[in-house]
Amino acid sequence: MKNFNIVKRSLAVFVSMVMACSVTAISVTAAEPSQTQFPVAYAEQQGDFQIENGVLVKYTGSGGEVIIPDTVNSIGDYAFSHCKELTSVVIPETVTRIGNAAFYYCTNLTNIVLPDSITELGKFAFGMCYGLSNITIPKGVTTIHNWTFACCENLQSVVILPNVSKISQSAFDGCTKLTTVYGLSGTYPETFANENKYQFIDINEPFTDVAYGDWFYDAVVFVYKQELMTGTTPTTFDPAVPMNRAQFATVLYRLAGEPEVEYTPNFPDVPDGWFYSDAITWATENGIITGYDDGNFGTQVNITREQIVTLLYRYANYVGLDTSQRASLDEYVDGSSVSSFAKDAMEWALAVGIIQGQNNQGIIDPQGEAGRAAGATIFMRFMERYQM
């Protein structure tokens, strides 16, 4: 990967050349414009947009959130260049092209969805858009050109579908946090990911009810590939179905490497030979999980959020992890409703980010049941937090 300073200087030189040429209406071969650029003086003004023959020549507004009118069919070269106040852009389905350096140096742009109507992304189109963390390449695009996403320093993942057959080696120069490419197995994007040592994730796997873009997608793929959780059927995960105590104990047991145990009849509702028998025996013998006062384990009882963090807390201590971190429950509306047995565990889980307030609000819902998707998410956060 090229040195940041070299790439940034190249970006600056390119934009300076193209902007100078627009003023004098001179064409520059190096910029390789795929459309004619019109001098701003002859453009029609539509609100904050200067538009000529369907080409958005220049954005003249100062708003952070922009909705491009559907009279636009092409976003011209450098149309939004250096619009540092820009945070969000809505592009209509009428747009087929995003020009060279169109969003160059829009440093605060964090939200943009590229419609599938787009067939061309120009060079440096999103160069130095530091706010972008992920992007999906439209279905109509076949080539990702030189420096299209150069120096997007916070870009972490990109979705590239099979329509893309060529990606320039410099397309993602300077994207130091890019680690993951989503696509379809056996297509060129997978080859590109492997050649550049990015993690490749097949967006068609593993389950038909888990789609890319779902809030739980990454977590389900993670626990599936780690062989911690399987589907309820070979093709479905059932993300909303609650986890029961037997299932959660089994996932913990798998996380521990499924150590060999000798079955012990500790609970009348845990017979020998069931998928959870060894897991519950192991968890009980190591003080990670206990049963109910009536002597049963409660295999089919749905597990609550505070029970989940309690079991993970005990497991973390069992394997010798640092669990000293604490966050105050007073910061949460229902913090006082956390059961006494779960207090330390909940304070720890909140402090390290394993569990978070529901819907990004100050609500823990400690006695609420946890669905399979939520369980997968908590396991992923736990393993990533402790680099397991």
Short mmCIF file of all heavy atoms in Angstrom, two decimals, residues 67-88:
data_model
loop_
_atom_site.label_atom_id
_atom_site.label_comp_id
_atom_site.label_asym_id
_atom_site.label_seq_id
_atom_site.Cartn_x
_atom_site.Cartn_y
_atom_site.Cartn_z
N ILE A 67 -30.40 15.90 -0.05
CA ILE A 67 -31.20 15.02 -0.90
C ILE A 67 -31.09 15.54 -2.32
O ILE A 67 -31.52 16.65 -2.63
CB ILE A 67 -32.67 14.99 -0.46
CG1 ILE A 67 -32.79 14.48 0.99
CG2 ILE A 67 -33.49 14.10 -1.40
CD1 ILE A 67 -34.21 14.49 1.52
N ILE A 68 -30.48 14.76 -3.19
CA ILE A 68 -30.28 15.16 -4.57
C ILE A 68 -31.59 14.99 -5.35
O ILE A 68 -32.23 13.94 -5.26
CB ILE A 68 -29.15 14.34 -5.22
CG1 ILE A 68 -27.83 14.64 -4.51
CG2 ILE A 68 -29.03 14.63 -6.70
CD1 ILE A 68 -26.68 13.80 -4.97
N PRO A 69 -32.03 16.00 -6.11
CA PRO A 69 -33.30 15.90 -6.83
C PRO A 69 -33.25 14.84 -7.93
O PRO A 69 -32.19 14.54 -8.48
CB PRO A 69 -33.49 17.31 -7.41
CG PRO A 69 -32.12 17.89 -7.45
CD PRO A 69 -31.38 17.32 -6.29
N ASP A 70 -34.43 14.28 -8.25
CA ASP A 70 -34.47 13.21 -9.24
C ASP A 70 -34.39 13.72 -10.68
O ASP A 70 -34.55 12.95 -11.63
CB ASP A 70 -35.72 12.34 -9.05
CG ASP A 70 -37.02 13.13 -9.16
OD1 ASP A 70 -36.99 14.30 -9.59
OD2 ASP A 70 -38.08 12.56 -8.80
N THR A 71 -34.15 15.03 -10.85
CA THR A 71 -33.87 15.56 -12.19
C THR A 71 -32.41 15.34 -12.57
O THR A 71 -32.02 15.57 -13.71
CB THR A 71 -34.16 17.07 -12.23
OG1 THR A 71 -33.43 17.73 -11.19
CG2 THR A 71 -35.65 17.34 -12.03
N VAL A 72 -31.62 14.84 -11.63
CA VAL A 72 -30.19 14.61 -11.85
C VAL A 72 -29.96 13.19 -12.35
O VAL A 72 -30.49 12.22 -11.77
CB VAL A 72 -29.38 14.84 -10.56
CG1 VAL A 72 -27.93 14.44 -10.73
CG2 VAL A 72 -29.48 16.30 -10.14
N ASN A 73 -29.18 13.03 -13.41
CA ASN A 73 -28.82 11.69 -13.88
C ASN A 73 -27.33 11.41 -13.77
O ASN A 73 -26.87 10.31 -14.03
CB ASN A 73 -29.29 11.45 -15.31
CG ASN A 73 -28.77 12.50 -16.29
OD1 ASN A 73 -27.59 12.82 -16.28
ND2 ASN A 73 -29.67 13.03 -17.13
N SER A 74 -26.56 12.45 -13.40
CA SER A 74 -25.11 12.27 -13.24
C SER A 74 -24.58 13.30 -12.25
O SER A 74 -24.98 14.47 -12.30
CB SER A 74 -24.40 12.43 -14.59
OG SER A 74 -23.00 12.32 -14.43
N ILE A 75 -23.74 12.86 -11.34
CA ILE A 75 -23.07 13.78 -10.42
C ILE A 75 -21.71 14.09 -11.01
O ILE A 75 -20.86 13.22 -11.16
CB ILE A 75 -22.93 13.16 -9.02
CG1 ILE A 75 -24.32 12.83 -8.46
CG2 ILE A 75 -22.19 14.11 -8.08
CD1 ILE A 75 -24.29 12.13 -7.13
N GLY A 76 -21.52 15.34 -11.42
CA GLY A 76 -20.34 15.72 -12.17
C GLY A 76 -19.05 15.67 -11.37
O GLY A 76 -19.04 15.56 -10.14
N ASP A 77 -17.94 15.78 -12.10
CA ASP A 77 -16.63 15.80 -11.47
C ASP A 77 -16.57 16.91 -10.43
O ASP A 77 -17.01 18.04 -10.69
CB ASP A 77 -15.53 16.02 -12.52
CG ASP A 77 -15.46 14.89 -13.54
OD1 ASP A 77 -16.07 13.84 -13.30
OD2 ASP A 77 -14.78 15.08 -14.56
N TYR A 78 -16.01 16.59 -9.26
CA TYR A 78 -15.79 17.50 -8.13
C TYR A 78 -17.02 18.28 -7.68
O TYR A 78 -16.92 19.35 -7.08
CB TYR A 78 -14.63 18.48 -8.44
CG TYR A 78 -14.74 19.24 -9.74
CD1 TYR A 78 -15.46 20.42 -9.82
CD2 TYR A 78 -14.14 18.73 -10.88
CE1 TYR A 78 -15.60 21.08 -11.02
CE2 TYR A 78 -14.28 19.40 -12.08
CZ TYR A 78 -15.00 20.57 -12.14
OH TYR A 78 -15.14 21.23 -13.34
N ALA A 79 -18.25 17.78 -7.93
CA ALA A 79 -19.48 18.49 -7.62
C ALA A 79 -19.62 18.82 -6.14
O ALA A 79 -20.11 19.88 -5.77
CB ALA A 79 -20.69 17.67 -8.08
N PHE A 80 -19.18 17.92 -5.26
CA PHE A 80 -19.27 18.15 -3.81
C PHE A 80 -17.88 18.28 -3.18
O PHE A 80 -17.75 18.25 -1.96
CB PHE A 80 -20.02 16.99 -3.13
CG PHE A 80 -21.49 16.95 -3.41
CD1 PHE A 80 -21.97 16.29 -4.52
CD2 PHE A 80 -22.39 17.57 -2.56
CE1 PHE A 80 -23.33 16.24 -4.79
CE2 PHE A 80 -23.75 17.52 -2.81
CZ PHE A 80 -24.23 16.86 -3.94
N SER A 81 -16.86 18.41 -3.99
CA SER A 81 -15.49 18.43 -3.48
C SER A 81 -15.30 19.48 -2.39
O SER A 81 -15.74 20.61 -2.51
CB SER A 81 -14.52 18.73 -4.64
OG SER A 81 -13.20 18.81 -4.18
N HIS A 82 -14.65 19.05 -1.28
CA HIS A 82 -14.33 19.92 -0.15
C HIS A 82 -15.56 20.40 0.63
O HIS A 82 -15.47 21.37 1.37
CB HIS A 82 -13.49 21.12 -0.59
CG HIS A 82 -12.07 20.78 -0.87
ND1 HIS A 82 -11.68 20.16 -2.03
CD2 HIS A 82 -10.94 20.97 -0.14
CE1 HIS A 82 -10.36 19.98 -2.01
NE2 HIS A 82 -9.90 20.46 -0.87
N CYS A 83 -16.70 19.72 0.48
CA CYS A 83 -17.88 20.07 1.29
C CYS A 83 -17.74 19.38 2.65
O CYS A 83 -18.33 18.32 2.90
CB CYS A 83 -19.16 19.63 0.58
SG CYS A 83 -19.54 20.58 -0.90
N LYS A 84 -16.96 19.99 3.51
CA LYS A 84 -16.62 19.34 4.78
C LYS A 84 -17.80 19.27 5.74
O LYS A 84 -17.78 18.50 6.70
CB LYS A 84 -15.45 20.08 5.44
CG LYS A 84 -14.16 20.00 4.62
CD LYS A 84 -13.02 20.69 5.35
CE LYS A 84 -11.73 20.61 4.54
NZ LYS A 84 -10.60 21.28 5.22
N GLU A 85 -18.83 20.10 5.50
CA GLU A 85 -19.99 20.07 6.39
C GLU A 85 -20.95 18.95 6.02
O GLU A 85 -21.86 18.61 6.77
CB GLU A 85 -20.72 21.41 6.34
CG GLU A 85 -21.50 21.68 5.04
CD GLU A 85 -20.62 22.11 3.89
OE1 GLU A 85 -19.39 22.27 4.09
OE2 GLU A 85 -21.16 22.32 2.78
N LEU A 86 -20.74 18.32 4.87
CA LEU A 86 -21.64 17.27 4.38
C LEU A 86 -21.53 16.02 5.26
O LEU A 86 -20.44 15.51 5.50
CB LEU A 86 -21.26 16.94 2.94
CG LEU A 86 -22.24 16.10 2.13
CD1 LEU A 86 -23.54 16.86 1.92
CD2 LEU A 86 -21.63 15.71 0.79
N THR A 87 -22.69 15.52 5.73
CA THR A 87 -22.70 14.31 6.56
C THR A 87 -23.50 13.18 5.95
O THR A 87 -23.19 12.01 6.17
CB THR A 87 -23.28 14.62 7.95
OG1 THR A 87 -24.62 15.11 7.81
CG2 THR A 87 -22.43 15.66 8.69
N SER A 88 -24.54 13.51 5.18
CA SER A 88 -25.42 12.47 4.64
C SER A 88 -25.92 12.89 3.26
O SER A 88 -26.28 14.05 3.05
CB SER A 88 -26.61 12.26 5.59
OG SER A 88 -27.54 11.35 5.05
#
